[in-house]
Amino acid sequence: MALLGAIVVLTYLFTPAGCVTSKTMETFLVNCSGIGYPLVPCILGSDIEQLDLSHNNIKIIQQQNFQSLTKLKILFLQFNQISEIEPESFAKNRELQYLDLSNNFLRVISALPFNHLQSLTHLDITNNRFKTANLGAKISKLQKLHTLRFGNTWLSSLNSSSLFPLRGIPLQEMYLITGELQTYEPGTLKVLQSMEKLSLDLQFGQQPQLLINIFKDIPMTTTTLQILNTDFVKYGKDIDLFFPLKKSNILSLIVQNITTDDSSTAHLFNSVLGSNMEELYLSTIKLNGIGRWNIQTVSAEKINVRKVSIIDVFDDKKDSLILLLLEPIPKNSIPDRFCKLRKLMNKNTYLEWPQNEFQQGFFWKRLKAVLNLDFHSCCILEESIKGAN
């Protein structure tokens, strides 16, 4: 082992004093995470199947580092300072299935040594230092790859040549991160012919058409779409970003940690109601607006949504979600599968907008009492309803 100042070079693998070794009936595990690896000279056994070297000071992976670990199946190397991996570093690790290289200093994806990793099913290379999405021809060797996570906040361009090496790989799940995306070549995502779940952690600056083109390219095999960490407000009002989803085969839509306004929220719900989607999950949503959403009328028979989950969208101690229905809903028109809504309607726990204008003043008094609103908030709601009518 060579230790040169702040530069740590792995030459032999040891089990430092801070490592935790455990063995179950099926797996031999060694956890050396966050101990300032390497330390005490204690040679690792060749029967190790899972090794955690995350959160350390590793800068270079050399050819001989993992040669003796021929049974290694899971390797965690995230949150180090790795800037170089020698070409034959994983030559003896043909059983490796899970490799996490995220949050390191790697600059060129195409230089990573994938040649011998025919058993690899999960690869995470997110948040490294590369500025292009050129995966390189070597990644095409990973014929068992199931899940790929890649990208970073410096990535600003996606084109068909970037992802073309993935063509023919039975990839089923991908997590993609970009910075302020400047260019996207239409057709880029269509090479992912077996993709089942796609997670998009993207930024688009002032070019909403890029997001529309990406939605258009979602493979027909994709049934789950996750959208994360995006600000839809800055794209401009009255721009329908979600209409391509109506023609997709997505069944589950997951939206997390986004900023949206009334217009974008309405377009989102309209796309969900007008598509084949069965599940909608909203989590940690910042809503810039008063909650006035122009939702298109859709007959209950054509709605495929079976489950809606809303978490951290409104503060239930301060805010309320009010759905304004311009027409009354006959109780017998609600399908049996919406059992909770039928139960709610039977309890009469909602307020119906009276058609008789002489009763509308009393409506506002009841609404104010139910929601405990101040006079200013009540006036805003009144103007919204009048505008909708």
Side-chain angles (χ1 to χ4, degrees), residues 160-200:
S160 57
S161 61
S162 301
L163 302 184
F164 188 79
L166 297 175
R167 189 181 184 90
I169 296 178
L171 195 65
Q172 297 181 30
E173 182 175 343
M174 185 169 75
Y175 185 106
L176 175 62
I177 302 175
T178 73
E180 292 285 346
L181 201 61
Q182 300 299 317
T183 59
Y184 172 80
E185 182 181 352
T188 297
L189 288 178
K190 289 186 177 181
V191 302
L192 306 174
Q193 299 174 348
S194 58
M195 183 69 55
E196 295 180 4
K197 180 179 180 180
L198 180 61
S199 299
L200 301 174

Side-chain angles (χ1 to χ4, degrees), residues 145-309:
L145 192 63
H146 177 281
T147 301
L148 174 64
R149 298 171 59 91
F150 85 101
N152 56 43
T153 54
W154 291 289
L155 198 61
S156 61
S157 176
L158 288 174
N159 54 59
S160 57
S161 61
S162 301
L163 302 184
F164 188 79
L166 297 175
R167 189 181 184 90
I169 296 178
L171 195 65
Q172 297 181 30
E173 182 175 343
M174 185 169 75
Y175 185 106
L176 175 62
I177 302 175
T178 73
E180 292 285 346
L181 201 61
Q182 300 299 317
T183 59
Y184 172 80
E185 182 181 352
T188 297
L189 288 178
K190 289 186 177 181
V191 302
L192 306 174
Q193 299 174 348
S194 58
M195 183 69 55
E196 295 180 4
K197 180 179 180 180
L198 180 61
S199 299
L200 301 174
D201 186 345
L202 310 178
Q203 302 299 321
F204 295 89
Q206 300 298 320
Q207 301 188 65
Q209 186 60 43
L210 297 181
L211 181 58
I212 293 174
N213 290 339
I214 285 179
F215 284 161
K216 287 181 178 179
D217 285 350
I218 292 176
M220 297 305 290
T221 55
T222 302
T223 56
T224 301
L225 175 64
Q226 184 179 29
I227 305 172
L228 309 100
N229 307 322
T230 301
D231 185 352
F232 293 119
V233 175
K234 65 182 180 182
Y235 300 147
K237 294 184 177 181
D238 299 324
I239 299 178
D240 187 356
L241 301 169
F242 305 101
F243 73 89
L245 301 182
K246 295 180 180 180
K247 296 183 179 181
S248 71
N249 286 334
I250 294 170
L251 300 179
S252 297
L253 178 62
I254 305 167
V255 182
Q256 293 178 292
N257 194 30
I258 68 165
T259 300
T260 183
D261 56 14
D262 290 341
S263 175
S264 295
T265 303
H267 288 313
L268 173 62
F269 280 122
N270 284 329
S271 294
V272 171
L273 294 175
S275 70
N276 294 322
M277 293 185 199
E278 298 178 354
E279 298 179 348
L280 175 63
Y281 300 89
L282 302 176
S283 175
T284 317
I285 310 299
K286 180 180 180 182
L287 179 61
N288 291 346
I290 62 172
R292 180 180 174 182
W293 305 333
N294 183 19
I295 307 298
Q296 298 176 357
T297 302
V298 181
S299 63
E301 292 77 13
K302 294 183 179 180
I303 297 177
N304 295 299
V305 177
R306 302 291 189 274
K307 182 177 182 180
V308 177
S309 176

Side-chain angles (χ1 to χ4, degrees), residues 7-27:
I7 301 178
V8 178
V9 180
L10 275 72
T11 303
Y12 302 101
L13 287 177
F14 301 117
T15 303
C19 287
V20 178
T21 302
S22 61
K23 187 172 184 179
T24 65
M25 293 182 62
E26 299 179 353
T27 308

